[in-house]
Amino acid sequence: MKGNYNIFYTPEKQYPGMPHGEMCGDFMPFYWKGTFYLFYLYKYCVYVVETKDFVRYGMPKLVLQNGSPDDQDWHIGTGSVFHHDGLFYFHYTGFCEGNHNVEGKNEQVVMRAVSTDLNTWVKDKEFFFKPDIEHYGNLHWRDPHVIWNEELQKYCMIITATEKEGAFLRNGCTAVYVSDDVKNWKHYKKLYAPRTFITHECHDAFQIGKWWYLSFSNYSRWWETRYRISESFNGPWTMPDFDDMFDGREFYAAKTVSDGTRTYLVGWQSVRKDCKDEEKFVWGGNVLVHELVQRPDGTLGVGMVKEIEESFQEKVPMSMIERQGAWSGTDMIQGESKDGFGWAEIGRLSDTSLFETTIEWEEGTKAVGLMIHTSDEKLEKWCQLRLEITHNKIVMDRYNRIDGEQYYMDERPVIFQGNKATVKLIVSGSIMLAYVGDVALSTRCYSVDPGSVGIFVEYGKVNCRDTKLLGQK
């Protein structure tokens, strides 16, 4: 396999026309004795890759081989791994599309495998958990996520399910089953059914302090990972007032994993068909990991993983070049453009770079941010991280979207504090991952090559401090 084994892991290099089965996705993270095991879907099977720091990854290993077209697990789907009484249990989804609407058969069934060492897994042929049609519909029945629930003092299996009745494509729900011994499961309750989404998939449920969190992904709007919050596992589950996502519309199927001290969110950054900016997003992509940040009010933000940030140690020379507007300074960069857009070039980006700065702006300034992968002073090609101060959002944009090129922009809501924000940006290949405080926004741009990085201001004045451009050794 020839892939990326650094930060944004993928077992295969992306290339135009790559088939669906060669993309990886739906990472199922598990922590054990100092190592993070990332199980994931790949070529309709399950593979695992190990990492200790989310920076460097080992070689992938096949964990579960899919079956024949006549087997229930012709295609293997998402699940979870946990440890109990000396054994590792991997509950997963068995997909057999040929069973759809066939009487007496099911398209989706929860199945299980066991292991003593996390490497060799044996399918448990006795475990076959069919859709519970007494309580739920007979279609979506997948993505089993098993946790030990301290509040209930039971094991809980969270399942992607569908209400038996409801509005068209709005009957997705979250089912919970409980067990004392992980062998016998009984229905507990319908945990969450907002009558909003086609389905809630790739669930996670976890507790930090007094707060419970329920996360899920949904594909009927964007590729999106959302979360709900409660003071009890039993709910009520409420949607955060300002923002219920962890990243943008391309971050999917994220699940948490903890080393006992810090909690990480492991998902995937999606790709576009044929690796073209104008094409639709398709399933699968590169691993993308955030570290969870719990705010004082219980809502969640994310930050850059410390080990990822520390992997950038090579200082890249910077030299400011005025492009438009009035610019000055070295240790502190000052820029002004009261009548519109102005920018200055700061340095050159390599294939994998980290750029960081703290931006301060004068009251009344409309927007500030970074110019990324700029081609030249004429800005024939560029990407942009825009902090729209008056709109309380950050935006990832790309060049010259005119006459049929109005591709959508990626954006996230943010509350700016005190006319100042710390901005961190990682670029790697087509990926651009930005953090503005504890808000993340990741996206891709295929149509630009590595170029320069700079600062811009619109209708105002800006100062930039502690500016760094770093590469990996």
Side-chain angles (χ1 to χ4, degrees), residues 20-35:
H20 171 89
E22 290 193 6
M23 298 179 191
C24 65
D26 290 14
F27 289 87
M28 298 157 272
F30 181 74
Y31 179 79
W32 187 253
K33 295 184 178 180
T35 299

PDB file of all heavy atoms in Angstrom, residues 20-35:
ATOM      1  N   HIS A  20     -14.572   3.713  -4.942  1.00  0.00           N
ATOM      2  CA  HIS A  20     -15.098   3.853  -3.588  1.00  0.00           C
ATOM      3  C   HIS A  20     -14.413   2.899  -2.616  1.00  0.00           C
ATOM      4  O   HIS A  20     -14.050   3.292  -1.511  1.00  0.00           O
ATOM      5  CB  HIS A  20     -16.606   3.592  -3.622  1.00  0.00           C
ATOM      6  CG  HIS A  20     -17.249   3.497  -2.284  1.00  0.00           C
ATOM      7  ND1 HIS A  20     -17.740   4.593  -1.624  1.00  0.00           N
ATOM      8  CD2 HIS A  20     -17.480   2.432  -1.477  1.00  0.00           C
ATOM      9  CE1 HIS A  20     -18.251   4.214  -0.467  1.00  0.00           C
ATOM     10  NE2 HIS A  20     -18.114   2.906  -0.354  1.00  0.00           N
ATOM     11  N   GLY A  21     -14.228   1.673  -3.001  1.00  0.00           N
ATOM     12  CA  GLY A  21     -13.685   0.665  -2.109  1.00  0.00           C
ATOM     13  C   GLY A  21     -12.246   0.888  -1.715  1.00  0.00           C
ATOM     14  O   GLY A  21     -11.755   0.270  -0.774  1.00  0.00           O
ATOM     15  N   GLU A  22     -11.525   1.751  -2.421  1.00  0.00           N
ATOM     16  CA  GLU A  22     -10.128   1.990  -2.091  1.00  0.00           C
ATOM     17  C   GLU A  22      -9.942   3.189  -1.178  1.00  0.00           C
ATOM     18  O   GLU A  22      -8.826   3.545  -0.832  1.00  0.00           O
ATOM     19  CB  GLU A  22      -9.293   2.158  -3.370  1.00  0.00           C
ATOM     20  CG  GLU A  22      -9.146   0.846  -4.130  1.00  0.00           C
ATOM     21  CD  GLU A  22      -8.092   0.909  -5.212  1.00  0.00           C
ATOM     22  OE1 GLU A  22      -7.395   1.929  -5.305  1.00  0.00           O
ATOM     23  OE2 GLU A  22      -7.971  -0.062  -5.963  1.00  0.00           O
ATOM     24  N   MET A  23     -11.041   3.840  -0.816  1.00  0.00           N
ATOM     25  CA  MET A  23     -10.958   4.910   0.163  1.00  0.00           C
ATOM     26  C   MET A  23     -11.186   4.322   1.546  1.00  0.00           C
ATOM     27  O   MET A  23     -11.862   3.323   1.709  1.00  0.00           O
ATOM     28  CB  MET A  23     -12.012   5.979  -0.123  1.00  0.00           C
ATOM     29  CG  MET A  23     -11.829   6.660  -1.464  1.00  0.00           C
ATOM     30  SD  MET A  23     -13.101   7.873  -1.751  1.00  0.00           S
ATOM     31  CE  MET A  23     -12.819   8.221  -3.483  1.00  0.00           C
ATOM     32  N   CYS A  24     -10.617   4.964   2.548  1.00  0.00           N
ATOM     33  CA  CYS A  24     -10.833   4.505   3.909  1.00  0.00           C
ATOM     34  C   CYS A  24     -11.734   5.490   4.635  1.00  0.00           C
ATOM     35  O   CYS A  24     -11.808   6.670   4.282  1.00  0.00           O
ATOM     36  CB  CYS A  24      -9.513   4.338   4.647  1.00  0.00           C
ATOM     37  SG  CYS A  24      -8.603   5.875   4.911  1.00  0.00           S
ATOM     38  N   GLY A  25     -12.442   4.996   5.639  1.00  0.00           N
ATOM     39  CA  GLY A  25     -13.329   5.867   6.387  1.00  0.00           C
ATOM     40  C   GLY A  25     -13.866   5.182   7.624  1.00  0.00           C
ATOM     41  O   GLY A  25     -13.551   4.024   7.907  1.00  0.00           O
ATOM     42  N   ASP A  26     -14.704   5.908   8.360  1.00  0.00           N
ATOM     43  CA  ASP A  26     -15.363   5.408   9.569  1.00  0.00           C
ATOM     44  C   ASP A  26     -14.349   4.797  10.543  1.00  0.00           C
ATOM     45  O   ASP A  26     -14.400   3.604  10.872  1.00  0.00           O
ATOM     46  CB  ASP A  26     -16.449   4.392   9.214  1.00  0.00           C
ATOM     47  CG  ASP A  26     -17.637   5.031   8.525  1.00  0.00           C
ATOM     48  OD1 ASP A  26     -17.514   6.195   8.092  1.00  0.00           O
ATOM     49  OD2 ASP A  26     -18.674   4.383   8.411  1.00  0.00           O
ATOM     50  N   PHE A  27     -13.449   5.629  11.000  1.00  0.00           N
ATOM     51  CA  PHE A  27     -12.430   5.174  11.952  1.00  0.00           C
ATOM     52  C   PHE A  27     -13.075   4.857  13.295  1.00  0.00           C
ATOM     53  O   PHE A  27     -13.911   5.609  13.798  1.00  0.00           O
ATOM     54  CB  PHE A  27     -11.350   6.236  12.115  1.00  0.00           C
ATOM     55  CG  PHE A  27     -10.482   6.365  10.893  1.00  0.00           C
ATOM     56  CD1 PHE A  27     -10.855   7.197   9.854  1.00  0.00           C
ATOM     57  CD2 PHE A  27      -9.314   5.639  10.776  1.00  0.00           C
ATOM     58  CE1 PHE A  27     -10.074   7.306   8.721  1.00  0.00           C
ATOM     59  CE2 PHE A  27      -8.519   5.743   9.645  1.00  0.00           C
ATOM     60  CZ  PHE A  27      -8.905   6.580   8.614  1.00  0.00           C
ATOM     61  N   MET A  28     -12.685   3.721  13.853  1.00  0.00           N
ATOM     62  CA  MET A  28     -13.211   3.239  15.132  1.00  0.00           C
ATOM     63  C   MET A  28     -12.041   3.157  16.099  1.00  0.00           C
ATOM     64  O   MET A  28     -11.362   2.137  16.198  1.00  0.00           O
ATOM     65  CB  MET A  28     -13.878   1.875  14.930  1.00  0.00           C
ATOM     66  CG  MET A  28     -15.073   1.936  13.973  1.00  0.00           C
ATOM     67  SD  MET A  28     -15.471   0.339  13.196  1.00  0.00           S
ATOM     68  CE  MET A  28     -14.408   0.406  11.738  1.00  0.00           C
ATOM     69  N   PRO A  29     -11.737   4.243  16.832  1.00  0.00           N
ATOM     70  CA  PRO A  29     -10.524   4.302  17.649  1.00  0.00           C
ATOM     71  C   PRO A  29     -10.663   3.545  18.958  1.00  0.00           C
ATOM     72  O   PRO A  29     -11.734   3.512  19.575  1.00  0.00           O
ATOM     73  CB  PRO A  29     -10.351   5.798  17.891  1.00  0.00           C
ATOM     74  CG  PRO A  29     -11.749   6.341  17.864  1.00  0.00           C
ATOM     75  CD  PRO A  29     -12.487   5.514  16.847  1.00  0.00           C
ATOM     76  N   PHE A  30      -9.553   2.965  19.400  1.00  0.00           N
ATOM     77  CA  PHE A  30      -9.509   2.231  20.665  1.00  0.00           C
ATOM     78  C   PHE A  30      -8.124   2.422  21.270  1.00  0.00           C
ATOM     79  O   PHE A  30      -7.114   2.298  20.568  1.00  0.00           O
ATOM     80  CB  PHE A  30      -9.787   0.745  20.423  1.00  0.00           C
ATOM     81  CG  PHE A  30      -9.793  -0.090  21.667  1.00  0.00           C
ATOM     82  CD1 PHE A  30     -10.836  -0.028  22.563  1.00  0.00           C
ATOM     83  CD2 PHE A  30      -8.728  -0.948  21.939  1.00  0.00           C
ATOM     84  CE1 PHE A  30     -10.836  -0.809  23.725  1.00  0.00           C
ATOM     85  CE2 PHE A  30      -8.716  -1.731  23.089  1.00  0.00           C
ATOM     86  CZ  PHE A  30      -9.777  -1.651  23.988  1.00  0.00           C
ATOM     87  N   TYR A  31      -8.075   2.719  22.543  1.00  0.00           N
ATOM     88  CA  TYR A  31      -6.796   2.952  23.229  1.00  0.00           C
ATOM     89  C   TYR A  31      -6.481   1.779  24.144  1.00  0.00           C
ATOM     90  O   TYR A  31      -7.335   1.334  24.925  1.00  0.00           O
ATOM     91  CB  TYR A  31      -6.863   4.241  24.048  1.00  0.00           C
ATOM     92  CG  TYR A  31      -5.596   4.546  24.810  1.00  0.00           C
ATOM     93  CD1 TYR A  31      -4.492   5.102  24.173  1.00  0.00           C
ATOM     94  CD2 TYR A  31      -5.506   4.276  26.178  1.00  0.00           C
ATOM     95  CE1 TYR A  31      -3.318   5.383  24.876  1.00  0.00           C
ATOM     96  CE2 TYR A  31      -4.338   4.555  26.886  1.00  0.00           C
ATOM     97  CZ  TYR A  31      -3.252   5.104  26.219  1.00  0.00           C
ATOM     98  OH  TYR A  31      -2.093   5.369  26.913  1.00  0.00           O
ATOM     99  N   TRP A  32      -5.224   1.288  24.058  1.00  0.00           N
ATOM    100  CA  TRP A  32      -4.830   0.170  24.902  1.00  0.00           C
ATOM    101  C   TRP A  32      -3.336   0.234  25.167  1.00  0.00           C
ATOM    102  O   TRP A  32      -2.518   0.166  24.253  1.00  0.00           O
ATOM    103  CB  TRP A  32      -5.185  -1.156  24.227  1.00  0.00           C
ATOM    104  CG  TRP A  32      -4.974  -2.357  25.099  1.00  0.00           C
ATOM    105  CD1 TRP A  32      -3.974  -3.293  24.998  1.00  0.00           C
ATOM    106  CD2 TRP A  32      -5.767  -2.768  26.207  1.00  0.00           C
ATOM    107  NE1 TRP A  32      -4.099  -4.242  25.958  1.00  0.00           N
ATOM    108  CE2 TRP A  32      -5.206  -3.955  26.737  1.00  0.00           C
ATOM    109  CE3 TRP A  32      -6.912  -2.239  26.822  1.00  0.00           C
ATOM    110  CZ2 TRP A  32      -5.741  -4.614  27.829  1.00  0.00           C
ATOM    111  CZ3 TRP A  32      -7.455  -2.899  27.906  1.00  0.00           C
ATOM    112  CH2 TRP A  32      -6.872  -4.077  28.402  1.00  0.00           C
ATOM    113  N   LYS A  33      -2.978   0.419  26.434  1.00  0.00           N
ATOM    114  CA  LYS A  33      -1.592   0.352  26.907  1.00  0.00           C
ATOM    115  C   LYS A  33      -0.638   1.209  26.080  1.00  0.00           C
ATOM    116  O   LYS A  33       0.376   0.739  25.563  1.00  0.00           O
ATOM    117  CB  LYS A  33      -1.124  -1.110  26.937  1.00  0.00           C
ATOM    118  CG  LYS A  33      -1.880  -1.967  27.949  1.00  0.00           C
ATOM    119  CD  LYS A  33      -1.343  -3.380  28.019  1.00  0.00           C
ATOM    120  CE  LYS A  33      -2.095  -4.196  29.082  1.00  0.00           C
ATOM    121  NZ  LYS A  33      -1.610  -5.588  29.189  1.00  0.00           N
ATOM    122  N   GLY A  34      -0.985   2.474  25.967  1.00  0.00           N
ATOM    123  CA  GLY A  34      -0.089   3.432  25.340  1.00  0.00           C
ATOM    124  C   GLY A  34      -0.195   3.557  23.838  1.00  0.00           C
ATOM    125  O   GLY A  34       0.525   4.369  23.236  1.00  0.00           O
ATOM    126  N   THR A  35      -1.072   2.776  23.215  1.00  0.00           N
ATOM    127  CA  THR A  35      -1.202   2.802  21.758  1.00  0.00           C
ATOM    128  C   THR A  35      -2.648   3.057  21.364  1.00  0.00           C
ATOM    129  O   THR A  35      -3.574   2.502  21.954  1.00  0.00           O
ATOM    130  CB  THR A  35      -0.724   1.473  21.146  1.00  0.00           C
ATOM    131  OG1 THR A  35       0.659   1.273  21.461  1.00  0.00           O
ATOM    132  CG2 THR A  35      -0.890   1.473  19.633  1.00  0.00           C
TER     133      THR A  35
END
